[in-house]
């Protein structure tokens, strides 16, 4: 292709011709990268002959509802509002102008010129996302951020479940907490349970069935077969061992749960058609539609093929006749294995019911937010979503990150990107459905790598991450839809905006009412100083750490760096020594800040080299972030318990038990621990005091 033609095509497709790297250097994207990414964009279309009316038109407050059309012939239009009310008109002076007072929502526009007809979805959205009344009133809220699978209890089967989540809600609410935040609980792979990363799911619309609290199911209790299996000494000894294990044995847990759930489903299948639960299940299937059918079929087929001797990490390695979701062989499988598919649909229904019950509990406990979910930036290349929707996902590319100081070779996350051109052509329906699924019965939604609303780093297949390029997304439209769905679901939005984030997206996120994400470890104004609590952004959630970073103890004791060295994560010893030196500066800076703000007693040494992690230091750091002016504060149970090992070590696969490590004690025992209770009561007191402090500052400024 002629270089000029290639450049123009790449620009139309949203491929940025250059970018500024982490060192401030301008980098030019190669012609080969542009060509490969254009080839990967299955949704790319030639511009000639397209409709003069866009597939979607997003209108926000302050916008003039007028659309320029390059049509010379007379034009008539009809707008049908979401609730059925209609407006009609004709185009004047090459501009189609709609009424000014359209209600928020999704409306249908039909345009006619002679014998030609076009359609457009009109989306009218609010200016900002929903915010809870407590935050609008200036309250400073706090809560726990957990990895659900890490929770221990006397009743669970070796992995935290929705029953444990209920215990967590009760414990946090009793101490004045406003929410419990969750790791992504998206659907993974029952047929390959070792695939445990919640950030590389099969689907973001459906749930991980391993979180079902099996023992709480009425049909499990009533099933004779289930209770006979439950009473077996082998069953009881297996479950006891799974509970005692310090890491989750996903293979064994999955085997036990699927065995028990099979018995429970057989009991459920005996219910009559007039049974309330049966009616609810049938309605769940109807509302789940094609997406649920694909999810259940994918899981059933994956399990079947694994049993037949075709184990795989994804559909690309299945026999070729099953690699297309709508193939005759898949349809035949669906007919022959109807009950197995219905079983997987039933498990999704059970998981959804138990999650909804947890949210309802949070409301009864008067928690201002209740549950908050985390949404992964994408899905894995071998999962249900890519299997069932080939036009949306670009399988010849992957999402990642360009080279930076800690990753000089860049990153490839092996998550196929969605084609922004297809998103627009489909009026953003996949994005809308994903938001609705995750915002349902949820008080807050955290978007991982929120910069993806603006741009994503695409890496062509078979290329290194260095050879990628940024691809732009329609950020204004996506933010408008996010605001609309946020209000409809009464669900606030938090954006994970760590790392290098362009100023343009930062300003847009703030204006759209999306809360920022501030991690203590990164809040340094210089190598020798930490940001003052009073200088934290108000429209934000502050945290001590994240699932990809060290725990508080691990950070202070530098155990995360030593672990990285043992796992050979650093290119050479010079990098390791640099990180150690920087950590020493950070520890001293943090200790200085703790003394300045009187968060630790004066008797504690002012020399960081002489201070080891202790309950006194732990409480002091919690006090520091509790004084933060950020509206939200998220804390990890690992830090209440003084744990050292991290949840996940980025850059590793089998070298470390990522997404498997549990808490050191049960949920009930944790909230019975006087040290934990003392810590949380103090956090709660300081959060309330931060409200008064902020109010006094506002008065003085006025």
């Amino acid at each position: 292709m002629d270089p000029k033609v290639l450049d123009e095509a790449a620009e139309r497709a949203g491929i940025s011709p250059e970018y500024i790297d982490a060192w401030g250097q301008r980098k030019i994207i190669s012609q080969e990268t542009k060509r490969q990414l254009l080839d990967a964009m299955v949704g790319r279309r030639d511009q000639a002959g397209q409709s003069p009316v866009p597939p979607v038109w997003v209108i926000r407050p302050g916008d003039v509802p007028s659309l320029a059309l390059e049509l010379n012939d007379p034009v008539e239009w009809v707008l049908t509002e979401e609730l059925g009310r209609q407006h009609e008109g004709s185009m004047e002076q090459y501009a189609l102008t709609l009424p000014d007072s359209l209600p928020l929502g999704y409306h249908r526009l039909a345009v006619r010129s002679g014998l030609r007809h076009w359609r457009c979805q009109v989306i009218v959205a609010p200016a900002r996302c929903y915010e809870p009344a407590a935050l609008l009133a200036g309250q400073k809220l706090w809560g726990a951020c957990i990895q659900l699978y890490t929770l221990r209890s006397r009743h669970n089967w070796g992995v935290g479940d929705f029953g444990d989540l209920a215990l967590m809600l009760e414990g946090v609410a009793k101490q004045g907490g406003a929410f419990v935040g969750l790791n992504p609980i998206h659907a993974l792979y029952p047929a390959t349970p070792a695939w445990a990363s919640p950030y590389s799911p099969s689907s973001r619309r459906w749930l991980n069935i391993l979180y079902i609290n099996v023992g709480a199911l009425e049909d499990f209790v009533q099933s004779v077969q289930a209770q006979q299996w439950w009473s077996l000494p082998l069953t009881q000894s297996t479950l006891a061992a799974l509970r005692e294990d310090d890491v989750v044995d996903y293979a064994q847990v999955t085997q036990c749960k699927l065995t028990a759930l099979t018995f429970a489903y057989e009991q459920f299948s005996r219910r009559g058609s007039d049974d309330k639960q049966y009616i609810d299940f049938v309605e769940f299937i109807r509302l789940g539609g094609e997406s649920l059918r694909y999810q259940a079929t994918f899981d059933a087929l994956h399990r079947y093929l694994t049993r037949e001797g075709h184990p795989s990490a994804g559909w690309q390695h299945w026999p070729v006749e099953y690699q297309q979701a709508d193939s005759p062989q898949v349809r035949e499988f669906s007919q022959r294995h109807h009950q197995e598919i219905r079983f997987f649909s039933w498990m999704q229904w059970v998981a959804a019911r138990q999650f909804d019950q947890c949210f309802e509990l949070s409301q009864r406990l008067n928690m201002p937010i209740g549950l908050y979910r985390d949404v992964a930036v994408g899905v894995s290349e071998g999962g249900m979503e890519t299997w069932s929707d080939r036009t949306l996902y670009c399988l010849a590319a992957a999402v990642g990150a360009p080279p930076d100081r800690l990753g000089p070779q860049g990153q490839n996350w092996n998550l196929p990107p969605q084609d922004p051109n297809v998103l627009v052509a489909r009026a953003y329906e996949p994005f809308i459905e994903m938001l609705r699924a995750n915002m349902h019965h949820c008080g807050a939604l955290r978007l991982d790598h929120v910069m993806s609303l603006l741009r994503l780093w695409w890496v062509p297949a078979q290329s290194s991450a260095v050879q990628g390029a940024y691809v732009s997304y329609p950020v204004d439209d996506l933010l408008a839809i996010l605001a609309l769905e946020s209000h409809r679901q009464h669900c606030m939005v938090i954006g994970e905006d760590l790392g290098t984030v362009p100023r343009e997206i930062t300003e847009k996120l703030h204006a759209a009412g999306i809360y920022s994400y501030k991690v203590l470890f990164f809040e340094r104004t210089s190598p020798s100083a930490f940001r003052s609590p009073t200088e934290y952004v108000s429209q934000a959630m502050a945290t001590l750490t994240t699932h990809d970073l060290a725990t508080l103890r691990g950070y202070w004791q530098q155990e995360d760096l030593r672990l990285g060295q043992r796992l050979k994560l650093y290119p050479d010893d010079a990098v390791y020594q640099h990180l150690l030196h920087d950590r020493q500066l950070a520890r001293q800076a943090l200790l200085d800040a703790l003394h300045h703000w009187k968060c630790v007693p004066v008797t504690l040494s002012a020399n960081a080299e002489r201070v080891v992690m202790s309950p006194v230091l732990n409480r002091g750091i919690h006090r520091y972030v509790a004084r933060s002016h950020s509206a939200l504060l998220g804390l990890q149970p690992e830090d209440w318990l003084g744990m050292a090992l991290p949840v996940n070590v980025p850059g590793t696969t089998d070298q470390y038990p990522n997404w498997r490590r549990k808490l050191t004690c049960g949920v009930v025992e944790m909230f019975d621990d006087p040290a934990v209770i003392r810590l949380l009561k103090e956090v709660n007191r300081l959060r309330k005091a931060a409200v008064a402090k902020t109010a006094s500052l506002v008065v003085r400024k006025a």
Side-chain angles (χ1 to χ4, degrees):
M1 184 183 295
D2 179 86
K4 184 178 179 180
V5 174
L6 179 62
D7 290 344
E8 292 174 350
E11 182 179 357
R12 287 198 304 270
I15 301 171
S16 299
E18 61 183 52
Y19 74 100
I20 304 300
D21 69 11
W23 294 270
Q25 301 296 313
R26 180 169 170 258
K27 296 292 184 180
I28 305 298
I29 303 304
S30 71
Q31 296 293 97
E32 179 60 17
T33 293
K34 292 177 185 178
R35 185 192 63 76
Q36 289 178 309
L37 293 184
L38 280 172
D39 289 343
M41 288 184 175
V42 293
R44 180 168 53 91
R45 299 288 184 267
D46 292 333
Q47 300 299 304
Q50 285 193 340
S51 167
V53 178
V56 60
W57 177 7
V58 177
I59 301 173
R60 305 191 72 172
D63 291 349
V64 176
S66 183
L67 184 67
L69 297 180
E70 295 182 2
L71 290 171
N72 295 320
D73 299 327
V75 171
E76 296 178 343
W77 58 264
V78 176
L79 179 76
T80 305
E81 293 183 5
E82 196 169 10
L83 297 180
R85 182 186 177 192
Q86 287 193 333
H87 307 267
E88 298 181 7
S90 58
M91 190 174 79
E92 299 178 2
Q93 297 181 342
Y94 303 101
L96 189 158
T97 303
L98 300 178
D100 291 327
S101 56
L102 291 175
L104 300 178
Y106 301 90
H107 315 305
R108 301 188 309 277
L109 177 65
V111 179
R112 184 178 65 191
S113 178
L115 297 178
R116 295 176 295 172
H117 299 260
W118 303 281
R119 294 190 179 277
C120 167
Q121 175 147 294
V122 177
I123 303 176
V124 182
R128 289 173 62 86
C129 291
Y130 170 84
E131 294 171 271
L135 295 185
L136 293 175
Q139 293 186 36
K140 303 296 183 186
L141 307 179
W142 71 273
C145 296
I146 66 170
Q147 309 291 314
L148 183 52
Y149 58 85
T150 67
L151 299 187
R152 292 180 185 261
S153 69
R154 296 169 186 167
H155 80 266
N156 79 31
W157 292 17
V159 64
D161 59 31
F162 291 129
D164 298 323
L165 178 56
L167 294 175
M168 195 75 199
L169 285 164
E170 290 171 346
V172 170
K174 187 175 181 180
Q175 302 309 319
F179 62 85
V180 171
L182 297 165
N183 59 286
I185 54 175
H186 307 314
L188 294 181
Y189 301 85
T192 52
W195 188 299
S197 172
Y199 290 94
S200 188
S202 174
S203 168
R204 295 185 294 177
R205 280 202 59 185
W206 302 101
L207 295 172
N208 185 344
I209 60 174
L210 281 192
Y211 292 135
I212 292 173
N213 178 8
V214 181
L217 295 180
E218 182 181 342
D219 290 296
F220 175 73
V221 174
Q222 292 180 351
S223 167
V224 174
Q225 285 182 295
Q227 293 308 303
Q228 289 175 342
W229 172 83
W230 173 257
S231 301
L232 292 173
L234 178 60
T235 301
Q236 290 301 309
S237 63
T238 298
L239 294 179
L242 290 173
R243 291 190 194 100
E244 289 299 316
D245 201 338
D246 291 333
V247 295
V248 179
D249 183 341
Y250 283 106
Q252 193 70 43
V253 168
T254 301
Q255 181 178 336
C256 288
K257 289 209 169 187
L258 287 180
T259 298
L261 287 167
T262 299
F263 292 138
Y265 174 67
E266 290 171 353
Q267 180 68 28
F268 175 85
S269 298
R270 298 187 180 99
R271 293 175 180 267
S273 59
D274 59 344
D275 179 87
K276 184 181 184 305
Q277 288 194 40
Y278 178 85
I279 293 171
D280 287 348
F281 173 49
V282 171
E283 179 65 4
F284 179 82
I285 290 179
R286 186 187 71 80
L287 293 175
E290 188 177 72
S291 178
L292 178 59
R293 178 173 64 83
Y294 278 133
Q295 182 66 55
T297 302
F298 179 91
D299 286 339
L301 180 54
H302 196 186
R303 189 186 193 198
Y304 167 80
L305 292 173
T306 300
R307 288 173 167 176
E308 292 296 307
H310 299 284
S312 68
W315 58 264
Q316 291 94 335
H317 305 287
W318 292 355
V320 66
E321 62 268 25
Y322 295 117
Q323 292 182 13
Q324 295 287 342
D326 57 353
S327 72
Q329 290 83 1
V330 171
R331 288 196 294 271
E332 181 187 359
F333 172 86
S334 299
Q335 293 170 356
R336 285 189 292 111
H337 297 268
H338 171 72
Q339 278 301 321
E340 180 80 355
I341 292 171
R342 197 171 175 85
F343 170 54
F344 277 97
S345 297
W346 176 80
M347 286 191 287
Q348 285 295 334
W349 173 71
V350 170
R353 274 170 57 91
Q354 291 193 348
F355 178 81
D356 292 350
Q357 288 164 3
C358 286
F359 181 73
E360 290 162 1
L361 171 63
S362 75
Q363 301 309 290
R364 293 197 301 273
L365 294 170
N366 296 316
M367 302 177 81
I369 295 176
L371 288 175
Y372 110 58
R373 290 182 62 173
D374 197 351
V375 175
V377 70
V379 296
S380 69
E381 60 185 351
M384 183 280 284
E385 288 198 25
T386 58
W387 179 67
S388 63
D389 200 345
R390 301 294 174 82
T391 61
L392 177 62
Y393 290 94
C394 299
L395 300 179
V399 173
D404 58 26
R405 296 179 189 279
L406 293 181
Q409 298 304 313
Q411 299 177 50
N412 185 334
W413 303 332
N414 293 315
L415 305 174
Q418 292 185 346
D419 188 331
N421 306 291
V422 174
L423 274 177
V424 174
R426 286 162 61 169
Y428 302 110
E429 178 267 337
F431 182 67
I432 295 167
E433 292 302 318
M434 185 275 291
L435 290 179
R436 288 176 178 170
N438 286 274
M439 286 181 169
H440 180 66
H441 278 181
C442 188
L445 196 69
R446 175 188 178 274
L447 299 178
D448 189 49
H449 195 62
V450 73
M451 193 174 68
S452 63
L453 297 175
L454 173 71
R455 66 184 190 183
L456 278 172
W457 183 258
W458 285 33
V459 181
Q462 312 303 321
S463 299
S464 71
V466 176
Q467 298 168 304
Y470 278 116
V471 175
S472 299
Y473 285 75
V475 58
D476 292 326
D477 287 1
L478 296 176
L479 287 175
I481 293 168
L482 194 56
L484 177 57
E485 290 299 325
S486 170
H487 277 273
R488 291 194 160 188
Q489 302 285 349
H490 288 183
C491 178
M492 69 176 296
V493 181
I494 302 163
E496 187 269 294
D497 54 354
L498 303 177
T500 304
V501 182
R503 184 175 179 179
E504 58 183 302
I505 185 64
T506 300
E507 294 172 349
K508 287 179 180 292
L509 293 174
H510 187 271
I514 296 176
Y515 281 56
S516 185
Y517 199 69
K518 302 299 179 184
V519 179
L520 172 68
F521 297 164
F522 298 151
E523 290 300 299
R524 292 163 69 183
T525 55
S526 73
S528 58
F530 270 81
R531 190 178 310 282
S532 160
T534 59
E535 295 174 345
Y536 271 61
V537 177
S538 176
Q539 188 177 302
M541 175 168 163
T543 69
L544 282 169
T545 182
T546 76
H547 58 268
D548 280 335
L549 299 173
T551 63
L552 186 54
R553 173 178 286 276
Y555 180 85
W556 187 267
Q557 300 292 121
Q558 303 173 95
E559 294 180 24
D560 61 317
L561 301 182
R562 289 194 289 271
L563 176 61
Q565 179 72 343
R566 291 199 300 274
L567 297 177
K568 300 180 180 179
L569 298 183
Y570 312 126
D572 52 51
D573 189 63
V575 171
Y576 176 54
Q577 294 302 324
H578 170 76
L579 293 173
L580 284 174
H581 176 68
D582 182 69
R583 183 64 57 81
Q584 290 165 356
L585 294 176
R587 293 198 315 162
Q588 187 59 58
L590 181 56
L591 186 58
D592 291 343
L594 297 179
H595 276 292
H596 176 79
W597 284 89
K598 297 181 172 55
C599 293
V600 291
V602 294
T603 54
L604 185 69
S605 173
N607 185 345
E609 291 301 307
R610 297 179 180 177
V611 178
V612 297
M613 178 52 69
S614 67
V616 170
L617 181 60
N618 188 311
R619 287 196 302 272
I621 298 175
H622 276 83
R623 287 187 187 118
Y624 189 80
V625 293
R627 294 174 185 266
S628 159
H629 280 192
S630 291
L632 300 175
L633 172 64
L635 303 174
Q636 293 192 157
E638 284 89 343
D639 297 326
W640 308 345
L641 300 172
M643 295 176 61
L645 292 177
V647 165
N648 175 52
V649 179
T652 64
T653 51
D654 300 331
Q655 307 98 305
Y656 183 82
N658 294 321
W659 317 114
R660 295 176 60 202
R661 190 267 290 136
K662 300 180 187 178
L663 297 181
T664 51
C665 73
V667 178
V668 172
E669 291 75 18
M670 179 170 65
F671 286 111
D672 283 341
D673 187 333
V676 172
I677 298 304
R678 177 185 174 188
L679 176 66
L680 298 184
K681 285 186 180 298
E682 188 151 18
V683 165
N684 192 55
R685 177 183 64 81
L686 289 171
R687 292 305 283 165
K688 290 180 178 179
V691 177
K693 182 71 173 176
T694 302
S696 67
L697 285 173
V698 171
V699 170
R700 285 202 297 271
K701 287 180 180 179

